[in-house]
Amino acid sequence: MGDATALELTPAELSFYDGAARSQVYIAVQGTIYDVTSGASFYGPGGPYECFGGKECARALALMKIDVAECTSDLTGLTPKNLSTLQDWVRKFAAKYPVVGQLRKQ
């Protein structure tokens, strides 16, 4: 990555950016990490989407499920409609929140 300030975090490291362990709230979608701290009332502790904070949540977004069990990058078995929904979310996150890094494998 060209930006020296860009983060490369493992899923375990990302989990500390849930708004409880640190004040920042980060969410990864298809490996791209977004700083959603400005939306902490949604994604941080006590927010309606708090299960997404500090996690890769591509599958959950594609399925439109607020479920920590679906917070994964695994897109196996998703329909074209699910994948289209995911791309809509990617566009929304990219327009609203700054990208701070990339998720790397553990």
Side-chain angles (χ1 to χ4, degrees), residues 19-38:
R22 289 195 162 97
S23 61
Q24 299 99 335
V25 183
Y26 293 169
I27 289 176
V29 182
Q30 292 187 298
T32 300
I33 301 172
Y34 298 92
D35 182 344
V36 298
T37 304
S38 65

Side-chain angles (χ1 to χ4, degrees), residues 51-52 55 60 64-72:
C51 73
F52 295 160
K55 295 184 183 58
M64 302 279 293
K65 288 191 175 183
I66 304 169
D67 182 351
V68 72
E70 299 293 351
C71 290
T72 176

Side-chain angles (χ1 to χ4, degrees), residues 25 27 36 38-53 96-97:
V25 183
I27 289 176
V36 298
S38 65
S41 62
F42 294 102
Y43 302 106
Y49 308 109
E50 72 180 315
C51 73
F52 295 160
K96 189 168 185 176
Y97 300 110

